């Protein structure tokens, strides 16, 4: 297993958001996290690369093991952790820089100075993110001029440029039109060959299209985790069945 979560509890001040989460995430696969708004899905993925650390009231106990090493161990270099565990947000967030420099940014931050290497990685990353053909002759243009779907694929290229092992996606298609959504979904299928992907989605049809595994969260608890086909066809828990059949949520 690429990620193992053991008895994870997360609180912000008095609010207990995640309650005794135990789950495993296989390598080179897509795991979808489903559940109603406010059930803890985004808090969970932000715990994996310690983005919640930025919130002053954040508290946790339990373990998140990445390759059997606890990401909350005091010896962990958080900058290096976030290089290994990239994040793609709900709303595309390109930097106000050129398309090229958006992708090159992480490489420069991590100390790469060889321009030939940077150029090659930028090209490879844009190709891997299925956007190279659309931008190869406009690399010096501002990324802010791209469409929403292009911006999201650019953000994915920026994430994979630093060679992560895990990509976290927090509803990566929720701000996109259906055609852009399809392109991102096709891209996720290809990326899982090289990365472990954990994706929050409100769209249950999307979960069935892109993921091999699905985990259902409700009120901060993990109700059920299973193969996606199994969970949607014959869930073991009544709460899961109630949610996927539209009785609540």
């Amino acid at each position: 297993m690429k990620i193992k979560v053991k008895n994870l509890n997360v609180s912000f001040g008095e609010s207990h958001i995640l309650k005794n989460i135990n789950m495993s995430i296989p390598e080179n696969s897509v795991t979808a996290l489903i559940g109603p708004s406010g059930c803890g899905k985004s808090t969970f993925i932000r715990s994996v690369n310690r983005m919640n650390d930025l919130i002053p009231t954040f508290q946790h106990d339990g373990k998140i093991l990445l390759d059997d090493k606890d990401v909350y161990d005091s010896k962990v270099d958080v900058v290096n952790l976030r290089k290994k565990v990239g994040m793609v947000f709900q709303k595309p967030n390109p930097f106000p820089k050129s398309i090229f420099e958006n992708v090159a940014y992480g490489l420069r931050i991590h100390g790469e100075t060889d321009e030939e290497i940077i150029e090659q990685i930028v090209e490879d990353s844009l190709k891997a993110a299925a956007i190279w053909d659309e931008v190869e002759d406009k690399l010096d243009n501002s990324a802010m001029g791209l469409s929403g779907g292009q911006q999201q694929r650019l953000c994915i290229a920026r994430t994979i440029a630093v060679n992560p092992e895990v990509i976290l996606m927090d509803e990566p298609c929720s701000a996109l039109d259906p055609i852009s959504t399809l392109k991102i979904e096709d891209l996720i299928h290809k990326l899982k060959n090289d990365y472990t992907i954990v994706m929050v989605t409100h769209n249950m049809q999307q979960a069935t299209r892109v993921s091999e595994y699905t985990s259902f969260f409700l009120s901060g608890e993990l109700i059920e985790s299973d193969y996606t086909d199994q969970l949607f066809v014959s869930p073991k828990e009544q709460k899961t069945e109630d949610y996927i059949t539209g009785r609540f949520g």
Side-chain angles (χ1 to χ4, degrees):
M1 290 291 166
K2 187 67 177 175
I3 299 169
K4 293 180 201 156
V5 183
K6 298 184 176 179
N7 300 317
L8 178 69
N9 287 272
V10 170
S11 300
F12 296 110
E14 299 296 310
S15 300
H16 192 177
I17 307 297
L18 293 176
K19 302 161 189 171
N20 296 314
I21 306 296
N22 289 277
M23 68 184 291
S24 297
I25 295 171
E27 192 165 15
N28 295 117
S29 64
V30 181
T31 299
L33 310 183
I34 63 168
S37 295
C39 68
K41 306 182 299 293
S42 294
T43 297
F44 174 78
I45 62 167
R46 286 165 180 264
S47 300
V48 177
N49 71 345
R50 292 185 53 174
M51 286 200 68
N52 291 324
D53 290 21
L54 304 169
I55 300 168
T57 56
F58 168 70
Q59 299 168 282
H60 89 284
D61 60 59
K63 292 185 174 180
I64 299 177
L65 304 175
L66 176 66
D67 295 326
D68 294 321
K69 292 177 185 160
D70 186 5
V71 302
Y72 283 97
D73 188 290
S74 58
K75 299 186 195 77
V76 166
D77 179 334
V78 177
V79 173
N80 195 43
L81 171 67
R82 290 182 189 144
K83 182 171 180 266
K84 272 189 182 177
V85 184
M87 173 81 94
V88 176
F89 296 92
Q90 182 172 0
K91 193 167 178 239
N93 61 336
F95 302 139
K97 299 172 177 285
S98 70
I99 293 166
F100 183 93
E101 285 303 328
N102 261 270
V103 184
Y105 179 81
L107 298 168
R108 299 194 196 283
I109 288 290
H110 290 289
E112 183 57 69
T113 56
D114 187 317
E115 286 300 323
E116 282 189 21
I117 291 174
I118 290 172
E119 281 183 25
Q120 190 59 56
I121 293 175
V122 168
E123 180 176 337
D124 291 346
S125 301
L126 289 167
K127 284 177 176 172
I131 190 174
W132 172 255
D133 291 345
E134 296 164 48
V135 301
E136 62 177 309
D137 56 350
K138 348 177 159 156
L139 296 178
D140 293 332
N141 292 7
S142 170
M144 310 310 284
L146 296 172
S147 71
Q150 288 174 322
Q151 286 185 1
Q152 193 65 300
R153 279 180 286 144
L154 178 68
C155 292
I156 292 171
R158 185 175 72 199
T159 299
I160 62 183
V162 296
N163 198 27
E165 297 169 19
V166 176
I167 301 176
L168 308 172
M169 296 185 165
D170 193 354
E171 295 191 63
C173 303
S174 67
L176 305 181
D177 62 85
I179 290 171
S180 296
T181 295
L182 192 58
K183 286 182 177 176
I184 299 287
E185 289 181 3
D186 286 344
L187 176 54
I188 290 167
H189 276 296
K190 292 176 185 137
L191 291 176
K192 74 180 178 191
N193 295 318
D194 298 305
Y195 308 97
T196 301
I197 298 173
V198 186
M199 183 176 81
V200 171
T201 179
H202 270 295
N203 184 328
M204 285 183 277
Q205 287 76 25
Q206 182 173 73
T208 63
R209 288 193 298 265
V210 304
S211 70
E212 290 103 310
Y213 305 93
T214 296
S215 295
F216 170 53
F217 284 73
L218 181 66
S219 302
E221 297 179 351
L222 176 60
I223 304 300
E224 185 169 353
S225 278
D226 210 333
Y227 289 104
T228 297
D229 293 347
Q230 182 72 26
L231 185 137
F232 279 97
V233 172
S234 54
K236 296 181 179 71
E237 300 293 331
Q238 185 63 46
K239 288 176 181 175
T240 311
E241 182 166 338
D242 289 347
Y243 180 70
I244 63 178
T245 54
R247 291 197 181 99
F248 70 90

